Amino acid sequence: MGMLIKGILAIFWLAAVPAFAGVPFLGKKQSGNIAETTLAGYLALFSVMEVLTLPMTWLRMPLHVLTASYGVVAVALAVWGIFRMKNKKVLFGLGEKRIHWNFYFCLAVLLIALQVIMCTVLAHADADDCFYVGAATTDVYTDTIFEVNPYTGREYVALPRRYVLSPFPVFLAVVSQLSGGLHPSIMAHVFFPLIFLPIAYMVQFCLAGKWFRDDKKAQGIYLFLAALLCGFSGYSVYNAGNFQMVRLWQGKALLAAAFLPLLFYLCISVLLEKEPSCPWFLLVLANISCCLLSSMGIILAPLMTGCFLVVCLLLTRKWKRVLQGLLCCLPSILLGILYISL
């Protein structure tokens, strides 16, 4: 019974809270489907985690303070989202932006469900878990943030510069604690794939709507092919599909599978369209979220945004939009400078 309650709490923090927390970040949109609200919610919550964790790490504050702070902010955002909902259609996609369940879309959902079951039941153990899951477990049992080396059990002489600016293992530790003390290994290998694999396909669903705006059949075919290609991506251990299927609980895998494609979608929606379909501050949150996931995100996120800014300037000649895009990259640039200085 104790494990059941912990599992329910894990679903609450990883699924329910982001879905409601994303509603205020849809901007002026009067409606939005479950994919849009959940993705916006994760952008907000990952940004909150990054902003809270960095100063607390340098101040050597205990993990339980970060856990309580993140929990309060996350619940506050979710409650704010509930009050911002004009009706339930904004969350569940039952209004103008309802999901069309055609044959190909149902086929894609079935294939994705099979992948989720496989990744959850047949949990994969990766060599990098020695640090990523080990760091989260060490932080939980020592009530510290990046103070104890998970390899040796001794205190760090200096902060681990590769990971301290991208504290995704700390997010794993925090959510584990919020879920009634669920072991970080169970959280990483069971619940993270259960939630983050659908998150990756939510991004593909949004991209399908961008590529085939008025063709619901083509959107379903696109999503099915995306799931099919991912399922047969085991020909290499270095591609995004393989990362998505076998190590999605690691920040770099989540970055490659979901959040860089999400940033790509936002760059198109904010910078290249005549009338932006997403609020520009989501670009800020996306850049910060990529920084949380991996140190590669500190470099790749502003690099991708910068490429789109060049294209935006050539196509639209709108300097105001380019300036807004540069401001969106500012957190990543500052973290990049700090990373080099470390």
Side-chain angles (χ1 to χ4, degrees):
M1 183 60 70
M3 184 59 69
L4 177 61
I5 294 175
K6 292 178 181 179
I8 294 173
L9 286 172
I11 297 299
F12 171 77
W13 288 105
L14 292 174
V17 170
F20 286 103
V23 174
F25 296 93
L26 294 178
K28 297 180 180 180
K29 286 186 177 182
Q30 297 299 320
S31 63
N33 55 49
I34 187 66
E36 291 177 335
T37 55
T38 303
L39 292 173
Y42 262 108
L43 291 179
L45 294 176
F46 277 178
S47 299
V48 168
M49 176 58 67
E50 177 80 354
V51 172
L52 290 177
T53 303
L54 294 187
M56 289 189 183
T57 301
W58 260 271
L59 294 174
R60 301 176 68 89
M61 300 183 72
L63 181 68
H64 73 265
V65 174
L66 175 60
T67 302
S69 302
Y70 173 80
V72 169
V73 175
V75 170
L77 288 176
V79 172
W80 183 26
I82 293 173
F83 280 105
R84 284 289 303 272
M85 290 170 58
K86 296 183 181 298
N87 52 56
K88 291 185 179 180
K89 294 179 182 179
V90 75
L91 177 60
F92 297 106
L94 301 176
E96 296 178 357
K97 304 203 72 174
R98 64 185 182 275
I99 296 173
H100 293 264
W101 291 81
N102 56 60
F103 172 75
Y104 294 102
F105 184 80
C106 292
L107 201 61
V109 170
L110 177 61
L111 181 56
I112 293 169
L114 291 175
Q115 291 182 2
V116 170
I117 293 172
M118 183 178 66
C119 293
T120 303
V121 177
L122 305 175
H124 171 75
D126 190 83
D128 284 345
D129 290 351
C130 294
F131 182 84
Y132 293 109
V133 179
T137 306
T138 301
D139 286 354
V140 167
Y141 286 95
T142 59
D143 195 26
T144 58
I145 305 173
F146 280 136
E147 291 187 27
V148 179
N149 191 329
Y151 293 131
T152 65
R154 298 178 179 178
E155 290 190 6
Y156 279 114
V157 177
L159 290 172
R161 63 178 183 176
R162 282 187 59 193
Y163 308 104
V164 69
L165 298 180
S166 303
F168 190 67
V170 180
F171 174 78
L172 170 58
V174 167
V175 177
S176 299
Q177 289 296 87
L178 289 172
S179 301
L182 185 66
H183 196 284
S185 183
I186 299 175
M187 177 66 75
H189 290 94
V190 177
F191 289 97
F192 272 18
L194 179 65
I195 301 300
F196 290 141
L197 191 57
I199 289 293
Y201 285 114
M202 286 181 186
V203 177
Q204 295 301 326
F205 174 73
C206 292
L207 284 171
K210 190 68 64 179
W211 305 138
F212 312 102
R213 193 179 303 273
D214 300 318
D215 192 341
K216 302 300 180 182
K217 179 181 176 181
Q219 293 176 19
I221 294 174
Y222 173 88
L223 191 61
F224 173 71
L225 289 177
L228 193 66
L229 289 173
C230 181
F232 287 91
S233 59
Y235 59 87
S236 171
V237 297
Y238 298 110
N239 59 60
N242 184 273
F243 269 55
Q244 177 175 320
M245 291 295 294
V246 302
R247 52 204 293 185
L248 198 55
W249 54 88
Q250 298 173 8
K252 56 186 177 182
L254 190 57
L255 174 73
F259 280 80
L260 283 180
L262 178 56
L263 180 62
F264 182 87
Y265 168 79
L266 290 174
C267 285
I268 295 175
S269 302
V270 176
L271 299 177
L272 299 188
E273 293 184 347
K274 185 176 180 180
E275 292 295 332
S277 57
C278 293
W280 70 272
F281 57 78
L282 282 180
L283 268 182
V284 182
L285 301 181
N287 273 268
I288 298 175
S289 297
C290 289
C291 294
L292 171 78
L293 295 173
S294 172
S295 56
M296 291 183 290
I298 299 176
I299 301 172
L300 294 178
L303 183 62
M304 178 183 290
T305 308
C307 291
F308 273 96
L309 288 176
V310 174
V311 176
C312 174
L313 184 60
L314 293 176
L315 292 180
T316 66
R317 306 288 182 176
K318 293 183 178 180
W319 286 95
K320 180 180 178 181
R321 190 175 294 186
V322 173
L323 179 59
Q324 288 176 335
L326 289 173
L327 291 176
C328 293
C329 297
L330 190 59
S332 300
I333 295 173
L334 293 177
L335 287 176
I337 294 173
L338 182 57
Y339 180 83
I340 294 173
S341 67
L342 289 175

